[in-house]
Amino acid sequence: MKLYEALTEHLRGQINQGIFVPGDRLPSIRSLTREHKVSITTVQEAYRQLELLNLVVARPKSGYFVRGQAPSHPLPTTARAAKRPMEVSQWEGILQMLGADKLAPAFSLGHAMPDLTSDTLTPLLRLWARIARRGDLSLLEYDSLRGNLELREQVARLATHSGNQLDPDDIVITTGCQEALFSALKATTEPGDVVAVDSPCFYGAMQAIKANGLKVMEIPTHPEQGISLDALELAMEQWPIKAILVTPTCNNPLGYTASDAHKQALYRLAQKFDIAIIEDDIYGDLAYTWPRPITIKSLDTDDRVLLCSSFSKTLAPGLRLGWIAPGRFRSAVVHSKFVATAASSTLPQQAVAAFISEGGYERHLRKMRGQYQRNRDRMLPWLEAHFPAGTRISHPTGGYIFWLELPEEIDCVELNRRLEGEPYCIAPGALFSASGKYRNCMRLNYAEGLTAQTEQALLSLLKTFPEQNTSIAN
Amino acid sequence: MKLYEALTEHLRGQINQGIFVPGDRLPSIRSLTREHKVSITTVQEAYRQLELLNLVVARPKSGYFVRGQAPSHPLPTTARAAKRPMEVSQWEGILQMLGADKLAPAFSLGHAMPDLTSDTLTPLLRLWARIARRGDLSLLEYDSLRGNLELREQVARLATHSGNQLDPDDIVITTGCQEALFSALKATTEPGDVVAVDSPCFYGAMQAIKANGLKVMEIPTHPEQGISLDALELAMEQWPIKAILVTPTCNNPLGYTASDAHKQALYRLAQKFDIAIIEDDIYGDLAYTWPRPITIKSLDTDDRVLLCSSFSKTLAPGLRLGWIAPGRFRSAVVHSKFVATAASSTLPQQAVAAFISEGGYERHLRKMRGQYQRNRDRMLPWLEAHFPAGTRISHPTGGYIFWLELPEEIDCVELNRRLEGEPYCIAPGALFSASGKYRNCMRLNYAEGLTAQTEQALLSLLKTFPEQNTSIAN
């Protein structure tokens, strides 16, 4: 056991025994270094782990406090292991949710759109206008196949926050995280191969698995700890798995962040079986703890991790700007990018590069992290008061998405079908599985909190549920 | 033989016999309708065919004139048929030409970049700035998966110029024509299938064939008439060809436009073998004749043609905006778009939609068509005077690209390697073949005409050729 792990356990014990109760200020970093004869880094790391466990909360310039309350509601259950690799289906349900065939798509309770109304985004639009007015010819040209150099430099600098040492040359700009995931899969597999995923798993990643002629092996995933390493190892022994695709930080849809130790163990497992890790970090910069959690990529000593991210969740999806640090797979990723899109749009790249270098991105992140965390904490009691007994809710560590596991008799796929024609729709959990799991689950966005529109849609949704006499809170 | 074909032959005979000589005004449309008892449409079509044959030229409000001179130089030869389907390689050469690994890529004589300096593009940048200043939230959101509706409406309207009756619902906006071609291949084939292509063939299309695990069957292509239908039919009888990928209008790189009759015959062949046609029309709006030539898609009675195009060659490649009308393959194309990029960038879509609806696109096209045709006619004598005897040059019917077939002893692949470190590079013909053809060929851009930079690079290039005593002109 490492020093910081021992200290984490010690402090956790004290909280569990009630030596420190909710609201108590915990010992300062300085006093703990003296008391335990460890470095400042060790104490900081221990507190970071306790934050990830939702036991303590940091208040700027005041120190660490025992969290007011640990999640009082039951968390989602961990799904059973899939029996075998499966083909992905579920495409029709996704099209319905995206409203791709409708002129006026319904308001989606389950979409993964950030809050776009923040005034910290205004400077981005102003930069856009300023760059367009400048009328530089380079705006009209292809940018480099690997992406705008200034943007890659900024991405490399930001990546240090999650422990990465990337060179701008290690990065390829993509058309959203979707192209990053797609090219990562293309670079690491051949048709017929199997990809292991955490489950539930983002449906866009699973559709990219399908489009590459691959099968998916769904691995049980704990709603606080992450993908089951035992189940993963068993699957790798049994099946010809070529890559592991995971979202270990601010997971979509479960919201957990795996511990550093878990990330390290997952990486060792990939080393042992000599396979690639595709790490989706799209919500990572929206973790409620700061400094933000590290990536698996930051532990990568032999270039087997393809780190995928984007500005779609942190800034705006309409930019269609993402990036990938593909490690040893760079050449195949560049080929995939060339054949699929040739380059990303020039003006958005220039504007975002300028926005980051002027400090706008980090200013925006600081604000949104606080807002999203507050929205989580305000919305939870409402959900507990209104949703039927037996409902389980995730406890997100970042981002703005809840995962709701409803009583078993509620079939969200069927429910969404019945909502056809209503002004709102939901994101049924079944979209997040290749094997028909999670039919009684749904994803719920809280980026803007409980707006009037969201409240109205939720109340209307609740009326469609079978009669209940109790709520979670009772 | 149709009426217009008979009339075309009649007038062609009169020109060939010298009854009308270069510069002569030809009979008016009205007089021909009276003389031959045919409709105005028939006469117009006959003149359009003669224009495509480079025999006559239309002068606004004056009528039709015998062209000053038919191409005096020898046209490129038609390559022999490939023996069998092949895998595509050539990736390294493309990376070198794109300068993807360099900080300051060399000036490429062979790139396919339009002239971006035209003042008719200024309103597009102004619209960009105006839309960004308006700060509408929709700018930051995903646009529809199938693309901005207003843009699709404008694309459908413009497509009537090439004879198409498309509904906005028939169109999917893509990240450049590259994504259109990529998704068209994905939608019509399975890994291991064979795709027939005109040869030489755009390297981006061939790399997309490679990335989809397909083989390519190169069909001999005549530099004025297009893909050999006999060779194509033979190949389809012999091999499991699933799709034909052609650029029949303003071909890249050969510059020809196939006649309507040829397009019709190609379509019938696809019907006979029940396979799809992927029609790349990216340069079609830059045809020097107006109304512009029809597409194969316009003849499509059973939705088997996937028409691919883009604003990269007509407006600016940095937009990364293209489109596809995928016919019966729409659902698979939408899936491919979802997994590869999810959507195209919102602001460029809104800006281009507004630019087209304000008339800016058609104004720009009118100017560029004239400029590119003048540049072709001015640059040809220079090439004839400077390039060695034995050089053959294409006679483009639109766009801004020459295809040069140099004397056999000149190896352009080797040549480009030797240019490493020079301030310019070429696009070796070998990139346009999967089977090592066209090593003595190169593509040459004339969008901006013979600029000082181009002339200097060409003169420097000519010095690297083996000693010659004569030029084409001698």
Side-chain angles (χ1 to χ4, degrees):
Chain A
M1 189 183 270
K2 290 189 177 165
L3 283 177
Y4 81 85
E5 290 170 332
L7 183 56
T8 306
E9 283 314 303
H10 171 74
L11 291 167
R12 176 141 75 158
Q14 294 190 307
I15 293 168
N16 286 344
Q17 291 158 39
I19 297 173
F20 297 109
V21 297
D24 273 5
R25 189 174 183 281
L26 289 158
S28 71
I29 291 180
R30 185 174 299 184
S31 70
L32 284 174
T33 58
R34 273 196 304 253
E35 186 185 335
H36 294 271
K37 300 201 169 41
V38 292
S39 70
I40 290 179
T41 324
T42 300
V43 179
Q44 283 173 329
E45 187 52 37
Y47 271 134
R48 216 164 73 77
Q49 293 301 319
L50 292 170
E51 280 187 284
L52 291 178
L53 292 166
N54 287 309
L55 289 173
V56 313
V57 60
R59 298 205 186 117
K61 294 184 188 156
S62 311
Y64 290 88
F65 293 78
V66 180
R67 199 171 253 292
Q69 51 189 59
S72 60
H73 57 273
L75 292 170
T77 50
T78 302
R80 272 172 307 169
K83 289 216 179 66
R84 65 187 69 83
M86 313 208 47
E87 296 203 351
V88 177
S89 53
Q90 310 295 352
W91 175 231
E92 292 310 317
I94 294 168
L95 276 180
Q96 193 196 352
M97 186 189 65
L98 296 174
D101 275 310
K102 287 181 202 159
L103 275 180
F107 167 62
S108 172
L109 283 167
H111 68 74
M113 192 83 89
D115 179 7
L116 301 172
T117 64
S118 170
D119 57 7
T120 46
L121 284 175
T122 316
L124 175 62
L125 289 170
R126 238 186 266 131
L127 271 165
W128 242 343
R130 197 200 306 162
I131 291 171
R133 256 199 324 273
R134 209 168 56 203
D136 192 306
L137 276 190
S138 72
L139 279 184
L140 299 171
E141 293 177 7
Y142 289 107
D143 212 311
S144 143
L145 173 57
R146 286 198 273 139
N148 180 280
L149 180 60
E150 195 191 341
L151 182 57
R152 285 188 279 132
E153 284 169 350
Q154 292 299 336
V155 166
R157 183 179 64 73
L158 291 171
T160 59
H161 294 318
S162 47
N164 297 290
Q165 300 296 329
L166 300 176
D167 188 275
D169 254 9
D170 298 331
I171 292 161
V172 178
I173 303 296
T174 55
T175 306
C177 195
Q178 190 62 40
E179 190 182 25
L181 294 171
F182 181 77
S183 64
L185 286 164
K186 210 160 186 54
T188 55
T189 61
E190 299 286 334
D193 284 346
V194 180
V195 178
V197 300
D198 41 14
S199 175
C201 173
F202 168 51
Y203 51 81
M206 286 210 296
Q207 294 299 322
I209 287 171
K210 174 190 173 80
N212 278 298
L214 307 167
K215 287 186 178 172
V216 69
M217 183 69 199
E218 299 178 298
I219 308 294
T221 301
H222 187 274
E224 281 188 300
Q225 290 154 20
I227 192 166
S228 160
L229 298 175
D230 291 342
L232 179 61
E233 184 158 14
L234 200 66
M236 291 202 287
E237 278 162 4
Q238 275 190 292
W239 307 104
I241 290 170
K242 287 293 173 55
I244 310 169
L245 189 154
V246 283
T247 308
T249 307
C250 310
N251 178 270
N252 172 17
L254 281 175
Y256 67 84
T257 292
S259 69
D260 295 0
H262 188 277
K263 287 171 178 166
Q264 181 74 63
L266 177 60
Y267 179 69
R268 288 219 193 90
L269 213 49
Q271 275 188 315
K272 181 176 163 191
F273 288 84
D274 193 21
I275 65 178
I277 296 178
I278 301 172
E279 180 180 20
D280 182 349
D281 189 55
I282 191 168
Y283 293 93
D285 280 358
L286 293 171
Y288 303 150
T289 49
W290 191 258
R292 53 149 289 175
I294 61 165
T295 60
I296 303 176
K297 177 79 176 176
S298 73
L299 307 167
D300 187 10
T301 51
D302 51 10
D303 272 351
R304 68 175 67 248
V305 181
L306 302 96
L307 177 61
C308 302
S309 192
S310 153
F311 297 103
S312 297
K313 305 307 173 190
T314 48
L315 292 179
L319 297 163
R320 306 310 306 125
L321 278 187
W323 56 273
I324 178 168
R328 68 168 84 151
F329 303 96
R330 191 181 85 178
S331 145
V333 162
V334 169
H335 187 263
S336 170
K337 170 148 189 78
F338 175 70
V339 297
T341 61
S344 292
S345 196
T346 304
L347 175 61
Q349 292 191 73
Q350 292 193 4
V352 171
F355 184 66
I356 302 174
S357 72
E358 290 184 4
Y361 180 72
E362 280 155 294
R363 206 171 306 125
H364 177 69
L365 276 191
R366 268 196 302 278
K367 181 181 165 194
M368 301 321 284
R369 275 196 299 263
Q371 172 180 323
Y372 295 147
Q373 186 171 13
R374 277 193 306 277
N375 285 347
R376 178 196 67 180
D377 293 339
R378 283 176 194 159
M379 196 140 165
L380 261 172
W382 192 97
L383 296 176
E384 290 177 348
H386 290 80
F387 270 71
T391 300
R392 293 163 166 271
I393 311 173
S394 62
H395 196 71
T397 56
Y400 37 73
I401 281 165
F402 285 121
W403 180 254
L404 275 72
E405 185 180 324
L406 303 171
E408 265 189 32
E409 62 273 21
I410 299 178
D411 180 337
C412 291
V413 178
E414 188 44 41
L415 187 56
N416 209 32
R417 212 168 282 141
R418 273 188 279 132
L419 293 179
E420 189 75 45
E422 293 288 325
Y424 69 95
C425 64
I426 61 171
L431 301 183
F432 298 79
S433 168
S435 56
K437 291 191 176 73
Y438 315 120
R439 286 184 78 94
N440 61 324
C441 298
M442 57 177 271
R443 192 171 72 169
L444 178 62
N445 182 297
Y446 59 83
E448 298 188 46
L450 193 70
T451 63
Q453 188 181 29
T454 302
E455 186 169 16
Q456 199 178 358
L458 282 175
L459 288 173
S460 163
L461 177 71
L462 286 162
K463 283 197 198 123
T464 68
F465 290 179
E467 197 79 32
Q468 303 282 338
N469 290 320
T470 52
S471 69
I472 311 178
N474 293 328
Chain B
M1 189 182 270
K2 289 191 177 162
L3 284 176
Y4 81 83
E5 289 171 334
L7 183 57
T8 307
E9 282 315 301
H10 171 73
L11 290 167
R12 177 144 72 159
Q14 293 190 308
I15 294 168
N16 286 343
Q17 290 158 39
I19 296 173
F20 297 108
V21 296
D24 273 4
R25 189 173 183 283
L26 288 157
S28 72
I29 290 180
R30 183 174 300 186
S31 69
L32 284 175
T33 57
R34 275 197 302 256
E35 186 185 335
H36 293 272
K37 301 197 169 41
V38 292
S39 70
I40 289 179
T41 325
T42 301
V43 179
Q44 281 173 331
E45 187 53 37
Y47 270 135
R48 216 164 74 77
Q49 293 301 321
L50 292 170
E51 279 187 284
L52 291 178
L53 291 166
N54 287 309
L55 288 173
V56 314
V57 62
R59 296 203 187 121
K61 293 180 188 159
S62 312
Y64 289 88
F65 293 79
V66 180
R67 199 170 253 294
Q69 50 190 56
S72 60
H73 57 271
L75 292 171
T77 50
T78 302
R80 272 172 305 170
K83 288 215 179 65
R84 65 186 71 81
M86 315 207 45
E87 297 204 351
V88 177
S89 53
Q90 312 293 352
W91 174 232
E92 293 309 316
I94 294 167
L95 275 181
Q96 193 196 355
M97 186 190 65
L98 296 174
D101 276 311
K102 286 180 200 159
L103 275 180
F107 167 65
S108 171
L109 283 167
H111 68 75
M113 192 83 88
D115 179 7
L116 301 172
T117 64
S118 170
D119 56 7
T120 47
L121 283 176
T122 316
L124 175 61
L125 289 170
R126 239 186 266 133
L127 270 167
W128 241 343
R130 198 200 304 162
I131 292 172
R133 255 200 322 273
R134 208 168 55 202
D136 192 305
L137 276 189
S138 72
L139 278 183
L140 298 171
E141 292 177 7
Y142 289 107
D143 213 312
S144 142
L145 172 56
R146 287 198 271 140
N148 180 280
L149 179 62
E150 194 190 341
L151 181 57
R152 284 188 279 133
E153 284 168 350
Q154 293 298 335
V155 166
R157 185 180 63 74
L158 291 171
T160 58
H161 294 317
S162 47
N164 297 289
Q165 299 297 328
L166 300 177
D167 188 274
D169 254 10
D170 298 332
I171 293 162
V172 178
I173 303 295
T174 55
T175 307
C177 195
Q178 189 64 40
E179 192 183 23
L181 294 171
F182 182 76
S183 63
L185 287 163
K186 208 157 188 56
T188 54
T189 62
E190 298 286 334
D193 284 346
V194 180
V195 178
V197 300
D198 41 13
S199 175
C201 172
F202 169 50
Y203 50 81
M206 287 210 296
Q207 293 299 321
I209 287 171
K210 174 192 174 78
N212 278 299
L214 307 166
K215 287 185 178 174
V216 69
M217 183 70 200
E218 298 178 300
I219 308 294
T221 301
H222 187 275
E224 281 188 301
Q225 291 154 20
I227 193 167
S228 160
L229 298 175
D230 291 342
L232 178 61
E233 184 159 14
L234 200 65
M236 290 201 287
E237 278 162 3
Q238 276 191 293
W239 308 103
I241 290 171
K242 287 292 173 56
I244 310 169
L245 190 155
V246 284
T247 308
T249 308
C250 310
N251 178 271
N252 171 18
L254 281 175
Y256 68 83
T257 291
S259 70
D260 295 359
H262 188 275
K263 286 170 179 167
Q264 181 74 63
L266 177 60
Y267 179 69
R268 288 219 192 89
L269 213 48
Q271 275 188 315
K272 179 174 164 193
F273 287 83
D274 193 19
I275 66 177
I277 297 179
I278 301 171
E279 180 178 21
D280 182 349
D281 189 56
I282 190 167
Y283 293 94
D285 280 357
L286 294 171
Y288 302 151
T289 50
W290 192 255
R292 54 147 290 176
I294 61 164
T295 60
I296 303 176
K297 178 79 178 175
S298 72
L299 309 167
D300 187 9
T301 52
D302 52 9
D303 273 351
R304 68 176 65 249
V305 180
L306 302 96
L307 177 62
C308 302
S309 191
S310 153
F311 297 103
S312 297
K313 305 307 174 189
T314 47
L315 292 179
L319 297 164
R320 307 310 305 123
L321 278 186
W323 56 273
I324 178 168
R328 67 168 84 151
F329 303 96
R330 191 181 85 176
S331 145
V333 162
V334 169
H335 188 263
S336 171
K337 168 143 191 81
F338 176 70
V339 298
T341 61
S344 291
S345 197
T346 305
L347 175 61
Q349 292 190 75
Q350 292 193 5
V352 170
F355 184 66
I356 302 173
S357 72
E358 291 183 6
Y361 180 71
E362 282 156 292
R363 205 172 305 124
H364 177 68
L365 276 190
R366 271 196 298 280
K367 180 180 166 195
M368 301 321 285
R369 275 196 298 263
Q371 171 180 323
Y372 294 148
Q373 186 171 13
R374 279 193 303 279
N375 284 348
R376 178 196 67 181
D377 293 340
R378 283 175 192 158
M379 196 142 164
L380 261 171
W382 192 96
L383 296 176
E384 290 177 347
H386 290 81
F387 270 72
T391 300
R392 293 164 166 270
I393 310 175
S394 63
H395 196 72
T397 56
Y400 37 73
I401 281 165
F402 285 123
W403 179 254
L404 276 73
E405 184 179 326
L406 303 170
E408 265 190 31
E409 63 273 22
I410 300 179
D411 181 335
C412 290
V413 179
E414 188 44 43
L415 187 56
N416 210 33
R417 212 167 283 140
R418 271 188 280 132
L419 294 178
E420 189 74 45
E422 293 288 325
Y424 69 95
C425 64
I426 61 171
L431 299 184
F432 298 78
S433 167
S435 56
K437 291 191 176 74
Y438 315 120
R439 287 184 77 94
N440 61 325
C441 297
M442 56 179 271
R443 191 171 73 169
L444 178 62
N445 181 298
Y446 60 82
E448 297 188 48
L450 194 70
T451 62
Q453 188 181 28
T454 303
E455 183 168 19
Q456 198 178 358
L458 282 174
L459 289 172
S460 163
L461 177 72
L462 286 161
K463 283 197 197 123
T464 68
F465 289 178
E467 198 80 33
Q468 303 281 342
N469 289 321
T470 53
S471 68
I472 310 178
N474 292 330

